[in-house]
Amino acid sequence: MNELKPINKAIYFIVGLIITVLFLFPIIWMISTSVKPVTELFAYPPKIIPSEFVFEAYVDNFVKSNKMLNYFGNSFIIAGGTMIFSLLVAAPSAYALTRLKVRGKGLILFLLLITQMMPTIMLAIPFFITFANIGLLNNYFSLILADATIAVPFAIMILRPFFQALPSELESAALIDGCGKFGTFTRVILPLVKPGLYTVGAFCFLYGWGDLLYSLILTTNESIRPITLGLYNFIGVYGTEWNSLMAVATIAMVPIILIFILIQKHIVSGLTTGAMKG
């Protein structure tokens, strides 16, 4: 492979740097606003780096009060529940659609793709009516179930290439050794598709963490609402508390960043495998 000339390397570096800054600018602005003095929030020309760093918004919302911490706790329950429920459903489903002779398999896969294209607002009202009739409104499980309707089809589509990549002789050998079908799946197959499980787990958590619409429609009780709705406490009729809004939004971003940093190797591997074999 021909190596790039130094001038081309420099051009690629500059272009990449500009694109990175453009993508990161909203995040940089959010963090900057969270530590600006109130007098500089609407200064013209606007300042990216404040003249003085003020952490009052963080102290007010996370030290003096635990209201936002309750919203964060709810988000962890909903996002974690969505991730666990989706993995429990998606992993055996993807395995079955890969290894077993399922009648109408092509149609099932087609329907899974279709569900990925449906706007969530189309499902929100039917969910509201259904959960209201069975008494599941203002319930963590209803939010987990609603978010899983988005996460499960995605997880199945991502996991299938991992199962396809495994030789069927592994299962035959495990069955001969007396593992049984369930033991073969849990003790032999699943450990070999860990990158895929990490990938879909991270994205399922992200779906649950970032959900706004289902939380808004399916809950009225503040005690179980997630942080995406907690942010609305800072938006009032007569103005917006920009410092607090940006401070809480900054902290809300941290778990997602940490997850993707910790398992980025598995995520890259998982997405690459899905792209090559899907």
Side-chain angles (χ1 to χ4, degrees):
M1 182 181 291
N2 296 329
E3 289 191 5
L4 292 173
K5 295 178 180 179
I7 182 67
N8 290 336
K9 285 184 179 178
I11 292 173
Y12 286 137
F13 175 76
I14 292 171
V15 171
L17 185 63
I18 292 172
I19 293 173
T20 303
V21 170
L22 287 175
F23 274 100
L24 290 179
F25 183 76
I27 297 174
I28 295 170
W29 187 259
M30 178 178 69
I31 297 172
S32 170
T33 303
S34 71
V35 295
K36 278 181 183 176
V38 177
T39 53
E40 293 185 8
L41 287 178
F42 303 103
Y44 187 83
K47 293 181 178 179
I48 295 179
I49 301 175
S51 59
E52 179 187 359
F53 289 89
V54 178
F55 297 94
E56 187 177 350
Y58 291 93
V59 174
D60 289 344
N61 291 290
F62 296 104
V63 179
K64 293 181 180 178
S65 170
N66 62 358
K67 187 177 179 181
M68 288 298 120
L69 294 178
N70 291 333
Y71 285 115
F72 272 97
N74 293 334
S75 287
F76 273 110
I77 292 172
I78 295 166
T82 302
M83 179 183 69
I84 294 170
F85 182 84
S86 300
L87 286 175
L88 288 175
V89 173
S93 301
Y95 180 72
L97 288 171
T98 304
R99 285 288 195 257
L100 303 182
K101 293 180 180 178
V102 179
R103 182 175 293 180
K105 184 188 297 186
L107 178 62
I108 294 172
L109 294 174
F110 177 71
L111 291 175
L112 289 175
L113 279 176
I114 292 294
T115 57
Q116 293 289 286
M117 303 173 191
M118 292 176 67
T120 52
I121 188 65
M122 289 179 62
L123 300 173
I125 301 304
F127 274 141
F128 175 80
I129 296 171
T130 304
F131 291 145
N133 286 332
I134 60 177
L136 270 182
L137 290 181
N138 290 313
N139 190 295
Y140 288 124
F141 183 69
S142 63
L143 294 175
I144 291 170
L145 197 60
D147 290 332
T149 58
I150 307 170
V152 168
F154 168 81
I156 292 174
M157 299 306 294
I158 292 294
L159 283 175
R160 279 190 74 243
F162 285 91
F163 293 122
Q164 287 174 334
L166 298 178
S168 58
E169 288 79 7
L170 279 174
E171 291 144 287
S172 302
L175 289 171
I176 291 171
D177 288 342
C179 259
K181 290 185 178 179
F182 183 76
T184 300
F185 177 66
T186 55
R187 295 166 61 186
V188 178
I189 301 299
L190 285 184
L192 294 174
V193 296
K194 273 184 181 176
L197 297 175
Y198 282 126
T199 303
V200 298
F203 279 95
C204 292
F205 187 90
L206 181 60
Y207 285 138
W209 187 265
D211 171 57
L212 173 66
L213 185 63
Y214 290 144
S215 303
L216 182 64
I217 292 178
L218 301 179
T219 64
T220 54
N221 189 343
E222 289 293 325
S223 65
I224 68 164
R225 285 188 153 182
I227 190 61
T228 46
L229 287 179
L231 291 171
Y232 274 88
N233 287 316
F234 305 113
I235 302 174
V237 177
Y238 302 106
T240 301
E241 298 176 46
W242 288 108
N243 292 77
S244 294
L245 179 64
M246 295 301 173
V248 176
T250 300
I251 298 300
M253 185 178 59
V254 171
I256 299 300
I257 293 176
L258 286 178
I259 287 173
F260 277 84
I261 288 175
L262 290 174
I263 60 172
Q264 61 174 328
K265 181 179 67 177
H266 298 292
I267 290 177
V268 171
S269 168
L271 293 178
T272 305
T273 302
M276 292 177 66
K277 295 185 178 296

